[in-house]
Amino acid sequence: MVRAIACTVIVLCAVELLTTQLLAAEPQRATLLLGSGGVVTVTLPDSVLTHAAVKKQLESALTTTFLIVGRVRGTPQTVASRLEIRYDLWDEVYHVRRIAADRKVETQRVPQEQFAKWWRTPLRVATIGGRAAIVDVEVTVLPFSAAEEDDARQWLSKSGGVGGAGTKSSGVVDALIGTTISARPLVAFHWSAEVAPR
């Protein structure tokens, strides 16, 4: 009989990294699970979605991107994934896209009543060996998607590039791209915890 590897549930202490705003209340804690093969997953707390800046962006019907990066301290290991969410006001559904660490892409239309369940789907953030490790998880919230950023860069380059390379107008395009497209993150969250097999 094969013994199942006991999963260790680690509740992380949350420390928010301030980028543009200060949280009015302490954020909820994220939850890490250690599963078979030393795979560590994170379940993000609902407080990320209810943060004032994030909630406002989600309600705008524009895309909101969540970059999730996991790191094992003392190693070069970095695991990154991405969630892109856009709320359709007319159909009252969320258009969601999950790009996992292995680059597998999953696109769905999620009804409002199922969105919380979708949000709580665990994401892989690290793989540890048979010993304890400190795992850091950072979530950065951006007010656009990667595809929208690329489209806007192309549009600005085409519409402003009439003077050709090296001219004054190409400098204007560069300035527009630098200030408009590369917008600052809305907010970032950071959690750290020691994960250890039993």
Side-chain angles (χ1 to χ4, degrees):
M1 182 171 151
V2 179
R3 284 183 68 182
I5 296 176
C7 292
T8 303
V9 178
I10 304 294
V11 178
L12 303 173
C13 294
V15 179
E16 180 183 22
L17 297 178
L18 296 178
T19 56
T20 57
Q21 294 189 6
L22 185 63
L23 276 177
E26 182 180 330
Q28 294 171 339
R29 299 170 182 210
T31 303
L32 283 183
L33 294 175
L34 176 60
S36 61
V39 174
V40 181
T41 60
V42 66
T43 301
L44 299 174
D46 293 340
S47 62
V48 172
L49 296 175
T50 57
H51 182 281
V54 177
K55 186 176 179 183
K56 181 178 178 183
Q57 176 67 20
L58 286 170
E59 290 173 350
S60 73
L62 299 172
T63 302
T64 307
T65 298
F66 300 81
L67 301 176
I68 300 97
V69 177
R71 293 183 179 89
V72 178
R73 272 195 215 169
T75 74
Q77 182 186 155
T78 299
V79 176
S81 55
R82 189 170 77 230
L83 303 176
E84 294 179 355
I85 301 170
R86 183 178 61 81
Y87 182 63
D88 185 328
L89 295 168
W90 299 109
D91 294 335
E92 297 183 343
V93 296
Y94 288 92
H95 294 271
V96 297
R97 190 169 183 233
R98 184 189 314 272
I99 299 95
D102 61 3
R103 296 293 148 250
K104 180 181 173 188
V105 178
E106 174 191 302
T107 303
Q108 291 179 270
R109 285 171 46 106
V110 179
Q112 272 186 319
E113 61 275 7
Q114 295 175 16
F115 181 68
K117 181 179 177 183
W118 178 88
W119 173 256
R120 293 186 195 108
T121 302
L123 294 162
R124 183 171 70 88
V125 289
T127 303
I128 64 170
R131 59 188 174 81
I134 296 176
V135 177
D136 296 311
V137 177
E138 182 174 22
V139 176
T140 305
V141 186
L142 301 171
F144 51 79
S145 71
E148 289 168 342
E149 180 179 4
D150 189 47
D151 288 347
R153 283 181 187 279
Q154 289 180 19
W155 182 83
L156 284 172
S157 294
K158 288 176 185 174
S159 64
V162 291
T167 64
K168 190 173 182 181
S169 66
S170 67
V172 170
V173 171
D174 290 341
L176 279 170
I177 289 172
T179 57
T180 306
I181 306 306
S182 301
R184 290 185 194 173
L186 294 172
V187 69
F189 302 88
H190 182 259
W191 300 275
S192 296
E194 184 173 0
V195 180
R198 283 191 195 168

